[in-house]
Amino acid sequence: MMRIALLGTGAMGTLFGVRLAPIAEVWMLGTWAEALQAARRHGLRLTTPQGEETAPVAVAADPMEVPPCDLALILVKAYQTERAARWAEQVLRPDGVALTLQNGLGPYEILRERLSAARAFQGVTTMGATLMAPGHARLGGEGPIWLGPASSNRRQIQKIVDLLERAGFQVEVQEDLQGVIWGKLVANTAINPITALFDVPNGALLARPDLWRLARGVARETAEVARAQGIPLPFEDPEGFVAEVCRRTSENSSSMRQDFRRGRPTEIDALNGAVAAIGRRMGVPTPLNEALWRWVKAVEERRGMAMRPAELERGPSPALAQQMDRRSLKGHGG
């Protein structure tokens, strides 16, 4: 039986833990004590339209407690990737691999630099989950998982595909993930910060003309930054795509809204911040992405969770933006 280190104790970590536990030995590794305690006492819980699924998992707050693993599944927030990559390196077998399904731009590059391209894989999913309590999530919507590139390490890719399909996930392997990554980024940059700042579920963006105008504008900007890099998006109409995501996940609470409600830092740097930074360097105007980035950072600053005001003036996530420039301009697909 495959042994998996699940790095991420939030909603997505709970979702994947529940689905993977019946077919693998799952170790949930993280720093959120309440989630680890809940998983240890009662197992993980996932509420779906069909009912409630539960699964026992092993838990650890220290990578030294985890036996050697075949796969590290990275589901932490983008700003936590450095630590997750170090922990993945510690818990993996010499031939073990890591897969990131995180939001935004940058996490894969961090993982690849730590583990090498042969052992680090990137994926994208449109699945969503809302955290109900520590160790308990509600499924926010099913969706495929895209993995790639197919040519990097076919044997390891196929092992991951087989595992995820046995767990009930729909999986597709692609040679170039850039279009899928930026397609999801169009939706995330348009939906996440607005639903967080106005404290509304995803579907409310379609019900409120003022919020929808803003979301539409952000979607167009992000799509233009992708096109300027020669990245083909998986849709013709970015506004229509975002509208469809809002309809399909109308009752869902975006991950950034959940972060706001829990008083935690957000992934704004890897979303709107990264898009604004790349747009600036490529000469593509992104005033709405920039404004939302600054607005969210201001809220975080007020709550004592973000960079200092002087750092704000230097622009969105400088190190991350530099990484993404190198990646995007090379057209690297993951």
Side-chain angles (χ1 to χ4, degrees):
M1 178 178 284
M2 184 178 288
R3 182 180 294 135
I4 301 171
L6 183 63
L7 282 79
T9 55
M12 292 298 285
T14 301
L15 188 164
F16 276 84
V18 168
R19 294 284 172 86
L20 290 169
I23 62 168
E25 178 185 338
V26 176
W27 282 77
M28 176 173 271
L29 176 60
T31 59
W32 187 20
E34 290 85 352
L36 296 178
Q37 185 178 55
R40 184 181 291 111
R41 288 182 176 177
H42 313 296
L44 298 176
R45 300 163 57 202
L46 179 67
T47 300
T48 74
Q50 291 74 40
E52 189 167 290
E53 303 174 28
T54 61
V57 296
V59 302
D62 185 336
M64 298 300 292
E65 302 171 11
V66 181
C69 293
D70 304 289
L71 171 68
L73 184 56
I74 314 298
L75 294 167
V76 299
K77 297 296 183 181
Y79 60 85
Q80 298 171 319
T81 305
E82 290 279 5
R83 182 185 65 207
R86 290 196 307 271
W87 283 10
E89 185 179 37
Q90 289 179 259
V91 303
L92 285 173
R93 302 180 190 277
D95 62 344
V97 298
L99 168 66
T100 171
L101 294 175
Q102 296 162 274
N103 285 334
L105 304 179
Y108 170 70
E109 285 68 31
I110 295 171
L111 193 64
R112 186 183 62 197
E113 288 176 9
R114 172 66 63 170
L115 295 175
S116 82
R119 299 180 66 200
F121 296 92
Q122 186 171 28
V124 182
T125 183
T126 57
M127 297 188 71
T130 298
L131 195 66
M132 308 299 290
H136 180 200
R138 184 184 73 234
L139 183 66
E142 298 281 3
I145 298 172
W146 292 276
L147 300 179
S151 60
S152 59
N153 190 327
R154 292 183 183 275
R155 183 178 64 86
Q156 293 286 15
I157 280 277
Q158 191 57 51
K159 286 174 63 176
I160 296 173
V161 170
D162 292 343
L163 172 76
L164 293 174
E165 287 183 340
R166 285 176 58 209
F169 296 108
Q170 176 189 344
V171 187
E172 299 177 22
V173 179
Q174 298 199 355
E175 191 59 46
D176 187 351
L177 279 181
Q178 283 296 292
V180 177
I181 290 168
W182 276 84
K184 183 177 180 182
L185 197 62
V186 167
N188 280 347
T189 54
I191 294 172
N192 289 23
I194 300 173
T195 56
L197 289 164
F198 290 88
D199 193 23
V200 295
N202 294 357
L205 299 189
L206 297 176
R208 290 185 51 175
D210 56 336
L211 300 187
W212 179 235
R213 281 194 297 271
L214 177 56
R216 289 170 56 196
V218 176
R220 288 195 298 265
E221 284 185 3
T222 303
E224 283 304 311
V225 174
R227 290 170 182 142
Q229 298 172 88
I231 296 172
L233 294 171
F235 44 76
E236 293 292 331
D237 177 14
E239 299 173 26
F241 174 70
V242 171
E244 175 57 30
V245 173
C246 287
R247 281 191 290 268
R248 184 166 51 82
T249 63
S250 61
E251 301 301 318
N252 203 39
S253 184
S254 74
S255 59
M256 196 172 293
R257 184 189 184 205
Q258 293 181 59
D259 290 336
F260 261 33
R261 288 188 157 195
R262 293 173 60 195
R264 296 186 56 175
T266 73
E267 297 180 299
I268 195 70
D269 284 346
L271 298 176
N272 305 75
V275 169
I278 295 171
R280 184 182 301 113
R281 285 174 169 81
M282 300 198 71
V284 179
T286 58
L288 297 178
N289 274 282
E290 178 88 22
L292 287 174
W293 175 80
R294 289 180 176 275
W295 192 353
V296 171
K297 297 304 284 188
V299 173
E300 292 182 337
E301 175 66 29
R302 191 166 66 244
R303 296 176 178 180
M305 301 185 304
M307 61 177 78
R308 296 182 298 275
E311 293 174 305
L312 267 172
E313 296 307 315
R314 293 202 289 267
S317 190
L320 173 60
Q322 191 174 40
Q323 274 188 322
M324 291 315 306
D325 273 351
R326 291 198 297 270
R327 172 199 182 191
S328 300
L329 294 175
K330 288 179 182 177
H332 183 75

